[in-house]
Structures are given as structure tokens and as C-alpha cells.
């Protein structure tokens, strides 16, 4: 059975773009139904919410790229610096022909650093970006144009489904990456479940690279999620625009505002959309009519920050084991069996942000 046939049995359709680029995605009907059902399930209750995975349509992905360039948004520049430093420490573990697998690739900017590293240890590289956003197509084309020895097989789907896709692909070792501190979006129990799933899918030769944001001064955190150019606000509000476009809703974006606060006890930024007036909204494809009171909140994202002790406990509970490596900077990065963990200590090491 061909790879395409196996993936079609899993509910994917393949699209060949050019010789070194193809991608798989679920049928449009399935994707739309899932989106509509999830929106209905999370907006019909008293405590309303929208999953942050729905931020990343084409417009949302472009807005997030703009956020990464903001002076207040420290994670992007800091993580890029760390990635540029790990090459010599990572290369000894890449002696075989690895695939590069990325969860939440977006525009694939930081991915280029890892592609450069891997192509120093092998002649050809197969890259599997997994992203719910259609922007995956254009970013993959750009990579193929810049790297003639690169083959891109994109998966337009959720992380969990994308990992199942990779599990059924072939037997080569994978470097699986989850960057941008995106893990902070998970609640603790869901995060452990997600890490356990990754660990269970990985072969003994696989590696996992993850970026985690450490706890820091509250002013730095506040400014990072409440930038002066209001780009984060546009990004947050864009999810309502997406619901309007894809599900036929009638959200008036001028009747909502961005609201982000840090909860010190829970160690996380909480992001919301606040209703500015009493109003009603209908979402036809979700078969839903809802009312909002003035100042009522829609929860859209958590971004957890971690202490080093919390990280060590989390990884131990998720079945990752330490891998011996010498003289790693304390509080900056840890090498673990199956896992290379980047802890972004921006208070101590990145004061300029």
C-alpha cells in the first residue's frame, strides 16, 4: 500500500504542489463540522471560551508573525538566540537520517535554523510541518525554493491528528519540535496527556525539542500581551472574524475588546475578549444564538509560565528521561532523552526585552 493510500484511509487527501512539496489535509466537510461543533460546545455555557487553536487561520497566522516582531514580545527573539546556540550540542545526536517534524509551524521562520543544522549531518531532509492554518502552503513553498535538498510533506490538521499521521508514515527517526512556548496554552493535566502522547508515539531514536517560558517580572509579561501597537488585540479579535467568515456568525468586532491579565497564583497570562455592551450573536452553522452582558468575557487563551522545578516534575511525569550532556547553562536549557528542552529565562539573560 502506498503512503498516500494509507493516509487516505486515515481521512486525509493528498495534494501534490511540486516535485519536493506535497501536503495532506482532512476533507473540508470534516474540518468545518469540527470547528462548528467546538464553537457550539464552548460558547453556549455561562463561562464562554474559544480554543486558541482557532486563532491560526491565514489572517491570524500573519498577525502572529507581526506579534513576533514587536519589541515587547520577548519570546521570539530570545528563543531564536537559544536555537542558534544549540547546534554543537544537538549535532552529536543527529548521526542518522532524521525527519524534522514541527508542531505549529506557522510561517516556519525559526525552522530554518533547524533545517540548517540537520543538513550539516545529512544530504537530504524531509520536513513535516503540522499546522491547522492554510498558511502552511505558502511557507512550505518558500522553504522548498530556498533548500533544494529539502522535501516538505505538510499536514494541515491539529497536533494530535498530525502526530498520528507521522506515526503511520515510515520508520526513520524524527526530531519533533514544539517551539514558541506554545505548550503554555495547555492546562496542566491536558499538557501532561499531550506530552505522554508524544512520548508514546516516539521511537527510541527520536528526539523532541520544546520551548518553555519561565516565570518573570509581571511588567514584562503584561507588556508582552498588551503591546502598544494593539497587534495582539487584533490577533485576539480575529478569531471572531474567522467565526463570522466560516460559520456565518454576526459578531460585531467593535463591540468587543482585548483583555489580557497575569494571574500570579496560577502562573499564567489569561487572555479574553470583553463584551462592551449587552448584545446578541447568532452562529448559524453552529446552530447557536447567544447573549452577552456588558463586560462579559470570552476566554481565548492561557499562557502558562514555569519554574525549573515545575518543568522537571512535568517532564518526569510525562515519561521523559534525562540525557547526559556537559556544561549546559543553568536555568537556560536542559538536554533530556527524547527531549531537548529550551527554558527561556528572559529575566536573567534577556534584560534588553
Amino acid at each position: 500500500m502506498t503512503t498516500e493510500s494509507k493516509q487516505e484511509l486515515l481521512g486525509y487527501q493528498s495534494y501534490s504542489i511540486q516535485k519536493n512539496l506535497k501536503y495532506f489535509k482532512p476533507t473540508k466537510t470534516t474540518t468545518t463540522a469540527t470547528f462548528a461543533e467546538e464553537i457550539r460546545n464552548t460558547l453556549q455555557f455561562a463561562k464562554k471560551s474559544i480554543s486558541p487553536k482557532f486563532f491560526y487561520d491565514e489572517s491570524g497566522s500573519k498577525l502572529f508573525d507581526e506579534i513576533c516582531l514587536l519589541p515587547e514580545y520577548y519570546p521570539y527573539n530570545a528563543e531564536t538566540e537559544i536555537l542558534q546556540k544549540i547546534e554543537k550540542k544537538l549535532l552529536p545526536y543527529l548521526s542518522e537520517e532524521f525527519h524534522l517534524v514541527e508542531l505549529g509551524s506557522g510561517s516556519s521562520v525559526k525552522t530554518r535554523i533547524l533545517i540548517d543544522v540537520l543538513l550539516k549531518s545529512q544530504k537530504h531532509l524531509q520536513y513535516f510541518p503540522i499546522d491547522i492554518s492554510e498558511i502552511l502552503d505558502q511557507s512550505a513553498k518558500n522553504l522548498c525554493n530556498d533548500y533544494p535538498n529539502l522535501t516538505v510533506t505538510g499536514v494541515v490538521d491539529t497536533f494530535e491528528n498530525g502526530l498520528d499521521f507521522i506515526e503511520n508514515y515510515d520508520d526513520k527517526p524524527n526530531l519533533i519540535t514544539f517551539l514558541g512556548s506554545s505548550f503554555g496554552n495547555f492546562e496542566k493535566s491536558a499538557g501532561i496527556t499531550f506530552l505522554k502522547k508524544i512520548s508514546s508515539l516516539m521511537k527510541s531514536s527520536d528526539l523532541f525539542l520544546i520551548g518553555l517560558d519561565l516565570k518573570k517580572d509581571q511588567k514584562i509579561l503584561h507588556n508582552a500581551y498588551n503591546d502598544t501597537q494593539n497587534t495582539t488585540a487584533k490577533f485576539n479579535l480575529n478569531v471572531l472574524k474567522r467565526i463570522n467568515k466560516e460559520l456565518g456568525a454576526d459578531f460585531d468586532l467593535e463591540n468587543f475588546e482585548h483583555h489580557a491579565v497575569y494571574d500570579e497564583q496560577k502562573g499564567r497570562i489569561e487572555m479574553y475578549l470583553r463584551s462592551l455592551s449587552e448584545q446578541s450573536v447568532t452562529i448559524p452553522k453552529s446552530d447557536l444564538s447567544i447573549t452577552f452582558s456588558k463586560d462579559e468575557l470570552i476566554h481565548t487563551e492561557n499562557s502558562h509560565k514555569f519554574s525549573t522545578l515545575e518543568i522537571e516534575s512535568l517532564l518526569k511525569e510525562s515519561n521523559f528521561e534525562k540525557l547526559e550532556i556537559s556544561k549546559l547553562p543553568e536555568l537556560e536549557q536542559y538536554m533530556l532523552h527524547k527531549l531537548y528542552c529550551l527554558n527561556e529565562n528572559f529575566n536573567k539573560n534577556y534584560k534588553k526585552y
Side-chain angles (χ1 to χ4, degrees):
M1 182 181 291
T2 66
T3 298
E4 284 76 8
S5 298
K6 287 192 295 183
Q7 301 309 330
E8 284 173 6
L9 288 175
L10 293 174
Y12 291 88
Q13 184 173 351
S14 63
Y15 298 82
S16 181
I17 308 302
Q18 56 195 52
K19 185 178 179 180
N20 59 343
L21 170 59
K22 61 183 175 182
Y23 67 96
F24 292 85
K25 60 183 291 188
T27 64
K28 185 175 182 180
T29 300
T30 301
T31 303
T32 302
T34 301
F35 183 31
E37 289 167 3
E38 288 203 33
I39 291 301
R40 175 177 174 79
N41 290 339
T42 61
L43 284 183
Q44 65 177 322
F45 300 110
K47 291 187 177 181
K48 298 176 175 61
S49 65
I50 300 171
S51 171
K53 69 184 178 184
F54 295 125
F55 280 141
Y56 300 98
D57 63 350
E58 184 174 359
S59 297
S61 295
K62 289 179 179 178
L63 283 167
F64 185 72
D65 287 344
E66 293 178 21
I67 289 172
C68 289
L69 300 178
L70 294 170
E72 300 99 330
Y73 192 73
Y74 59 83
Y76 178 82
N77 287 323
E79 190 173 57
T80 299
E81 275 190 54
I82 293 173
L83 286 172
Q84 290 168 340
K85 292 177 181 178
I86 69 171
E87 178 180 330
K88 292 181 180 179
K89 295 182 174 69
L90 190 56
L91 276 173
Y93 299 94
L94 301 173
S95 56
E96 301 181 60
E97 188 178 348
F98 270 75
H99 295 324
L100 177 60
V101 180
E102 186 170 20
L103 308 179
S105 65
S107 61
S108 301
V109 175
K110 284 180 284 189
T111 311
R112 292 170 180 267
I113 299 172
L114 294 171
I115 290 174
D116 289 336
V117 171
L118 285 159
L119 286 176
K120 289 182 180 180
S121 63
Q122 57 195 69
K123 292 182 178 180
H124 300 279
L125 176 64
Q126 186 151 19
Y127 168 52
F128 293 88
I130 302 172
D131 202 298
I132 201 168
S133 169
E134 294 288 345
I135 199 174
L136 179 67
D137 188 10
Q138 186 56 53
S139 63
K141 286 180 182 178
N142 293 338
L143 287 173
C144 287
N145 292 336
D146 294 340
Y147 293 93
N149 293 335
L150 181 71
T151 300
V152 178
T153 302
V155 186
V156 182
D157 206 347
T158 62
F159 298 158
E160 292 84 354
N161 291 341
L163 286 171
D164 285 336
F165 176 100
I166 300 302
E167 181 187 19
N168 288 278
Y169 198 82
D170 64 25
D171 295 326
K172 292 185 178 180
N174 301 304
L175 171 60
I176 303 171
T177 65
F178 192 27
L179 304 178
S181 302
S182 299
F183 180 76
N185 295 155
F186 286 101
E187 294 298 325
K188 182 179 179 180
S189 60
I192 291 173
T193 298
F194 183 67
L195 289 179
K196 284 182 176 179
K197 180 179 178 72
I198 293 173
S199 180
S200 69
L201 294 177
M202 291 172 68
K203 298 179 284 292
S204 60
S205 56
D206 286 353
L207 295 172
F208 179 43
L209 177 69
I210 185 170
L212 298 170
D213 192 359
L214 293 183
K215 293 178 178 178
K216 57 185 57 65
D217 184 86
Q218 291 192 33
K219 184 177 180 181
I220 295 173
L221 291 170
H222 175 83
N223 292 342
Y225 293 85
N226 293 277
D227 63 276
T228 56
Q229 297 182 43
N230 293 319
T231 307
T232 307
K234 293 175 185 176
F235 173 72
N236 199 10
L237 286 161
N238 182 72
V239 74
L240 300 184
K241 187 182 295 186
R242 179 182 180 184
I243 295 171
N244 284 350
K245 180 180 178 181
E246 297 184 26
L247 302 182
D250 56 0
F251 281 102
D252 184 344
L253 272 63
E254 293 186 359
N255 285 340
F256 291 87
E257 69 176 4
H258 169 70
H259 178 63
V261 293
Y262 182 68
D263 186 320
E264 185 174 10
Q265 184 177 0
K266 295 179 179 179
R268 69 189 189 191
I269 287 284
E270 297 179 351
M271 203 153 77
Y272 300 91
L273 292 166
R274 190 208 307 270
S275 174
L276 298 177
S277 63
E278 293 185 2
Q279 55 184 306
S280 299
V281 175
T282 59
I283 309 176
K285 291 186 179 179
S286 294
D287 191 25
L288 185 64
S289 295
I290 47 180
T291 59
F292 293 90
S293 58
K294 187 177 185 298
D295 295 325
E296 186 173 355
L297 300 174
I298 305 174
H299 178 242
T300 55
E301 183 179 64
N302 290 327
S303 184
H304 287 85
K305 313 303 174 183
F306 304 93
S307 69
T308 54
L309 289 177
E310 287 172 333
I311 291 169
E312 290 171 1
S313 174
L314 176 72
L315 298 176
K316 182 178 180 180
E317 190 172 350
S318 303
N319 303 321
F320 289 108
E321 302 171 7
K322 282 189 177 181
L323 183 67
E324 292 300 324
I325 189 167
S326 62
K327 297 182 180 179
L328 282 173
E330 185 181 2
L331 301 181
E332 181 179 343
Q333 54 203 33
Y334 293 81
M335 178 68 87
L336 302 154
H337 181 54
K338 294 187 178 179
L339 173 67
Y340 196 102
C341 176
L342 308 181
N343 300 327
E344 300 162 10
N345 188 349
F346 306 106
N347 276 346
K348 197 168 185 180
N349 301 324
Y350 298 94
K351 292 181 179 178
K352 60 184 178 180
Y353 304 117

